[in-house]
Amino acid sequence: MVTDRYVKSGRALERDRAKYNLFEWVDEEKVFERKTYKTFKDLLDNYELECGEDEVVTPEEKKENVAFVDAIMETDVMQEAHKYLISKGKSPEHVGQFKWQLYKIWFSLVRRTRGDRDQDSSSFEHVFVGEGRDDKFIGLHNWIQFYLKLKYCDYHCIRCGHSTVQDDEHFRLIALQFDWREEKGKPISSCFLGTSPEFEIAAYTICFLLDRLCKTDVQLGNMKLEIDVKPFAKNYIGTAYIAAARMY
């Protein structure tokens, strides 16, 4: 993956100031042939954009959810996350029960819109897909979704800034401002760059289960950052992202 030039980020929505595409090139064949990436991608078109619109999970979509959980649990990353959560008394030892715990946290439908009886959201949708609310865009903290939406011109990156590790030529974190078809905008969002779906699920799940009071200081290699995971109705994730203030 190669990211192109960028401009300094900010919180005020404005016209496009980015002279170049956010992503110059991604080796899609290599990336999406991996099982966790492929099953993750299958989930991205399963949701209604607008908050307040009832989400209906079809049998096929449920199979896709289960396939994704099964795929990430085959990885070393999630197996280590499972062991760690067991050691902290936060997850069951049985793999099947842990998969069900993950499924409930990430794919249970919740009612995000006040005064609306429809179950219109889920932790996965908010964090990895994004949602619309009036003229605003909420959620979306995943580079794969950004890449795919920018590719098909659904999203328009207005401006962005980056953070990286010292002596590392690759960007690892990014904060950006974007709009959706010039109808809905988000003044600032943040995400990892180039990370796997299983890594992000593991990181956010651990932070959520260990400390539901939101912010967790994390060190990844030489990189120090703050992950902010806010609970929703106690048992679900309302949002999860890299706190942008720590990225500059």
Side-chain angles (χ1 to χ4, degrees), residues 7-52:
V7 295
K8 187 177 180 181
S9 68
R11 290 183 176 272
L13 278 171
E14 55 180 77
R15 65 180 178 82
D16 183 8
R17 293 177 57 196
K19 296 181 180 180
Y20 304 92
N21 294 329
L22 176 60
F23 295 95
E24 181 181 330
W25 173 76
V26 172
D27 188 342
E28 289 194 30
E29 183 175 346
K30 185 176 181 180
V31 170
F32 292 116
E33 72 179 7
R34 301 175 187 175
K35 191 173 182 180
T36 57
Y37 287 79
K38 182 181 183 302
T39 54
F40 176 85
K41 184 182 177 184
D42 289 342
L43 305 179
L44 299 179
D45 62 354
N46 288 351
Y47 298 94
E48 300 293 336
L49 173 65
E50 290 294 330
C51 289

Side-chain angles (χ1 to χ4, degrees), residues 69-208:
V69 174
D70 286 343
I72 62 175
M73 280 304 301
E74 293 175 2
T75 66
D76 292 341
V77 171
M78 283 304 301
Q79 290 170 15
E80 286 299 317
H82 185 202
K83 291 177 184 177
Y84 182 71
L85 288 168
I86 291 171
S87 73
K88 297 296 182 179
K90 298 296 183 179
S91 293
E93 292 188 27
H94 191 277
V95 174
Q97 292 177 345
F98 180 57
K99 287 181 179 180
W100 178 234
Q101 183 183 33
L102 291 173
Y103 192 99
K104 287 192 295 182
I105 290 171
W106 287 102
F107 295 107
S108 294
L109 294 181
V110 297
R111 188 178 300 112
R112 189 175 291 273
T113 304
R114 292 182 180 179
D116 197 309
R117 298 184 63 83
D118 292 333
Q119 292 181 307
D120 59 353
S121 182
S122 70
S123 303
F124 185 91
E125 178 185 10
H126 184 85
V127 175
F128 295 105
V129 182
E131 304 174 275
R133 178 181 288 163
D134 300 323
D135 63 345
K136 298 179 177 62
F137 207 96
I138 60 175
L140 180 50
H141 301 282
N142 177 258
W143 74 269
I144 297 172
Q145 174 73 331
F146 272 123
Y147 167 72
L148 293 172
K149 291 299 184 181
L150 288 168
K151 175 183 176 181
Y152 295 110
C153 299
D154 281 340
Y155 293 177
H156 191 198
C157 181
I158 296 173
R159 57 185 186 176
C160 63
H162 80 282
S163 180
T164 188
V165 184
Q166 187 176 4
D167 300 325
D168 187 345
E169 63 181 1
H170 300 293
F171 299 162
R172 302 298 184 184
L173 313 171
I174 195 165
L176 70 163
Q177 179 183 121
F178 68 94
D179 67 42
W180 177 81
R181 299 180 181 176
E182 299 184 351
E183 296 178 18
K184 300 178 185 294
K186 188 169 185 181
I188 189 165
S189 187
S190 60
C191 64
F192 291 102
L193 276 178
T195 47
S196 67
E198 58 266 30
F199 170 81
E200 295 189 31
I201 290 286
Y204 293 144
T205 301
I206 289 172
C207 291
F208 172 67

Side-chain angles (χ1 to χ4, degrees), residues 45-64:
D45 62 354
N46 288 351
Y47 298 94
E48 300 293 336
L49 173 65
E50 290 294 330
C51 289
E53 291 188 19
D54 193 22
E55 293 286 356
V56 178
V57 182
T58 67
E60 181 62 29
E61 289 171 349
K62 186 173 182 179
K63 288 180 181 178
E64 291 176 348

